[in-house]
Amino acid sequence: MKEKKLEKTSKENKEKEVTEPVKKVPQTPQTLRGMKDILPADQGYWWLVFDKVRSLAKTYGFEKIDTPLLEESGLFVRSVGKDTDIVEKEMYIFEDLDGQKLALRPEATASIMRAYLNHGMWNLPQPIKAWYFGPMFRHERPQSGRYRQFHQFGFEILGEAGPVADALIIMIAYNFYAEMGVNASIQINSLGCPVCRENYKNELTQYYKTNRSKICESCKKRLVKNPLRLLDCKEPGCLPIKETAPQMIEFLCDDCKTHFMSVLEFLDELGLPYFLNHNLVRGLDYYTRTVFEIYSTGDDEGSQAALGGGGRYDLLSEVLGGKPTPACGFAHGVERAIAKVKEAGQVVPETIKADIFIAQLGEQARRKAFTLFEKFRHTGVKVAESFCRSSLRGQLEQADKLGARYALIVGQKEVQDGSVIIRDMESGVQEMVDFNKAVAEIQKKLLLI
Ligand code: AMP
């Protein structure tokens, strides 16, 4: 009988297996390729960089502008240039529910210029000195130091044509690294104005046409679409051709040459380490005259990983329908900056130190501790807590970690007595005080009154 029942049960089970759908374990979504979470352990470095940028901005009189992450895609197509890698291959473009073509911003200069034009900032005393800090998006092949969502900070000077603006921008870009303890150097070039650049482009195109059989397939395309980018090619086969290519500097018109020489004189005066790089063209169409990049001096030669770069973009305003507005700026990559800052052994200031720590034992005590915490918060005393913990030992360990000089302990008994224990964290000596006098007592101990 027993056996029969067993038999039936296993049969039933089999039926169940067939009819009941297999329960699927839901898969945890992952971050997208090339995008990453910035976890608490790293946040100290982000603050370190942000604080340094903010302090440089304050020193040099720059004001912050935040622009939206989403813009009309046309803004970047027109400014960065339709034949650039960013626009051709890397932009996140999509249509929204209204059928508008939008792009996640791949960089911020175009947005800053748009904001300048939209808000009539040309009516304000010039130049406008702006800075920004935030995420950018490029659909690149992720690798070390190259992400699809990354962050940049940048400084822009709008409405100033003089070489002093170029020099100021380069100096700030360089000073950021110098003050972070990172050895950096500057590579610089001039791309001239549309007139002298056109002459140069023709000469460069002629030169590459005569060498067409020796260059890579990408360069053959660049030759037709964007000849200046020929100088960007890193293919070993193209390097000898690039080495003997005509140089822009030989083609600069008098005004562009004077401007460039003047920028270099500023850099000489400041003693900044710069190198002329005739092949530096940058990947964006809006540049005119000065272009520069900042490299870490420890990096391998030929490393493609510039820490940041920038230059002058005198024609961008007109491209976007504004009136002529000379401008220049730079952008640094925050992730790359943080990697260098870590390599340089910069120490992140520890998490907020506390003067006192409020510990509690039991539900009622926890409620009392809440009110005590709020009382202290308004007094200027640095107060910390760990309300989610119940063990007193764990709380005192946390108080120790935060360097608190006193722990205020509220337990069941203290709730009933209307008191609180003040524990000297160094000596371990404890005393009982009236709950309502705890703030004054601590202020006295910390010599605040
Ligand atoms: P660009 O706007 O291309 O001149 O880039 C300026 C700086 O932004 C670079 O030197 C990098 O430090 C940083 N950067 C650009 N693209 C990326 C990326 N895909 N991932 C991380 N950092 C980037």
Side-chain angles (χ1 to χ4, degrees):
M1 180 72 187
K2 217 177 179 185
E3 240 172 47
K4 222 175 172 189
K5 200 177 174 195
L6 262 181
E7 221 174 69
K8 195 179 167 202
T9 318
S10 81
K11 206 171 155 198
E12 269 174 3
N13 277 347
K14 265 196 189 143
E15 273 166 17
K16 235 180 166 184
E17 263 174 38
V18 177
T19 49
E20 258 186 28
V22 184
K23 245 194 181 171
K24 270 195 188 159
V25 181
Q27 274 208 336
T28 308
Q30 304 293 311
T31 49
L32 298 173
R33 209 161 108 78
M35 310 212 170
K36 60 176 193 161
D37 301 314
I38 305 164
L39 298 178
D42 242 14
Q43 291 290 348
Y45 285 99
W46 284 78
W47 281 115
L48 193 70
V49 168
F50 186 84
D51 287 346
K52 172 54 72 187
V53 176
R54 188 158 70 159
S55 109
L56 284 171
K58 215 169 165 188
T59 306
Y60 293 106
F62 285 69
E63 290 185 301
K64 190 158 184 266
I65 296 187
D66 290 321
T67 59
L69 304 195
L70 275 180
E71 298 268 10
E72 271 177 37
S73 59
L75 170 65
F76 304 109
V77 178
R78 282 161 70 184
S79 54
V80 174
K82 67 177 173 25
D83 295 326
T84 57
D85 280 356
I86 292 181
V87 169
E88 235 180 14
K89 305 181 198 156
E90 298 167 2
M91 271 222 290
Y92 280 89
I93 296 192
F94 62 95
E95 262 184 31
D96 73 358
L97 296 177
D98 304 323
Q100 252 190 315
K101 236 181 170 188
L102 307 180
L104 278 169
R105 64 179 187 190
E107 59 105 51
T109 302
S111 304
I112 296 282
M113 181 56 92
R114 178 200 49 66
Y116 174 89
L117 297 175
N118 289 169
H119 300 282
M121 286 191 215
W122 67 85
N123 288 318
L124 302 172
Q126 302 294 296
I128 297 293
K129 291 153 89 184
W131 70 285
Y132 60 85
F133 191 114
M136 310 292 156
F137 304 84
R138 294 183 194 172
H139 196 272
E140 295 193 76
R141 196 164 58 79
Q143 49 187 284
S144 157
R146 192 176 295 277
Y147 309 100
R148 290 182 173 173
Q149 176 177 336
F150 59 99
H151 296 71
Q152 284 183 337
F153 66 86
F155 285 60
E156 314 281 358
I157 302 181
L158 303 114
E160 173 57 59
V164 61
D166 312 40
L168 186 59
I169 281 293
I170 297 171
M171 180 173 73
I172 298 171
Y174 176 81
N175 279 353
F176 167 79
Y177 279 105
E179 290 176 22
M180 280 296 191
V182 176
N183 289 327
S185 65
I186 302 156
Q187 298 201 5
I188 191 166
N189 194 15
S190 174
L191 298 179
C193 62
V195 178
C196 56
R197 194 193 308 179
E198 204 48 39
N199 295 337
Y200 174 62
K201 262 196 209 166
N202 290 338
E203 189 74 17
L204 190 69
T205 310
Q206 274 313 316
Y207 168 80
Y208 268 87
K209 271 186 183 161
T210 56
N211 287 291
R212 201 171 182 283
S213 59
K214 299 176 201 152
I215 58 178
C216 68
E217 285 310 307
S218 306
C219 277
K220 283 180 187 148
K221 281 188 203 145
R222 288 179 184 132
L223 190 49
V224 183
K225 279 182 144 182
N226 196 348
L228 278 188
R229 297 300 306 280
L230 287 161
L231 300 173
D232 251 357
C233 184
K234 305 280 187 298
E235 282 298 317
C238 296
L239 294 183
I241 313 288
K242 197 165 81 172
E243 240 162 55
T244 49
Q247 297 179 347
M248 179 70 225
I249 204 151
E250 310 284 347
F251 289 78
L252 293 179
C253 62
D254 285 348
D255 282 353
C256 288
K257 198 180 281 173
T258 309
H259 183 96
F260 191 45
M261 293 320 287
S262 177
V263 174
L264 297 185
E265 280 164 17
F266 269 109
L267 302 188
D268 286 332
E269 187 74 29
L270 289 162
L272 299 188
Y274 69 84
F275 301 91
L276 293 180
N277 178 350
H278 300 293
N279 295 329
L280 184 63
V281 288
R282 312 268 298 132
L284 305 92
D285 270 5
Y286 53 58
Y287 286 117
T288 45
R289 293 193 165 170
T290 317
V291 284
F292 71 96
E293 282 181 347
I294 306 279
Y295 283 83
S296 159
T297 46
D299 282 349
D300 298 342
E301 212 168 289
S303 151
Q304 292 182 36
L307 300 174
R312 189 160 267 289
Y313 48 94
D314 290 345
L315 302 175
L316 180 57
S317 167
E318 288 155 88
V319 167
L320 297 179
K323 55 181 197 160
T325 308
C328 62
F330 78 86
H332 277 335
V334 180
E335 284 80 359
R336 287 189 202 168
I338 287 177
K340 286 292 155 204
V341 164
K342 282 182 180 172
E343 264 177 49
Q346 275 278 348
V347 182
V348 171
E350 280 184 42
T351 43
I352 334 143
K353 288 263 183 198
D355 296 321
I356 63 163
F357 187 94
I358 309 248
Q360 34 69 39
L361 265 176
E363 267 319 297
Q364 263 186 313
R366 191 174 275 163
R367 283 199 288 276
K368 276 277 169 214
F370 259 68
T371 59
L372 198 57
F373 187 93
E374 289 305 298
K375 271 189 188 181
F376 274 110
R377 212 166 55 80
H378 299 293
T379 61
V381 173
K382 278 192 207 149
V383 53
E385 50 75 33
S386 193
F387 291 143
C388 297
R389 291 191 197 204
S390 348
S391 124
L392 183 60
R393 200 168 140 197
Q395 292 180 69
L396 291 180
E397 274 170 12
Q398 178 71 2
D400 220 27
K401 238 196 224 165
L402 295 173
R405 286 173 56 194
Y406 300 98
L408 279 76
I409 306 166
V410 191
Q412 291 290 81
K413 185 172 174 299
E414 287 71 34
V415 174
Q416 273 153 24
D417 295 353
S419 63
V420 54
I421 294 169
I422 298 180
R423 178 188 173 93
D424 184 316
M425 290 298 293
E426 208 176 295
S427 63
V429 172
Q430 301 195 158
E431 62 180 301
M432 184 96 79
V433 300
D434 188 300
F435 186 87
N436 293 322
K437 292 191 181 140
V439 171
E441 200 57 41
I442 286 292
Q443 284 178 322
K444 221 179 339 171
K445 283 184 186 295
L446 294 174
L447 303 176
L448 294 175
I449 52 171

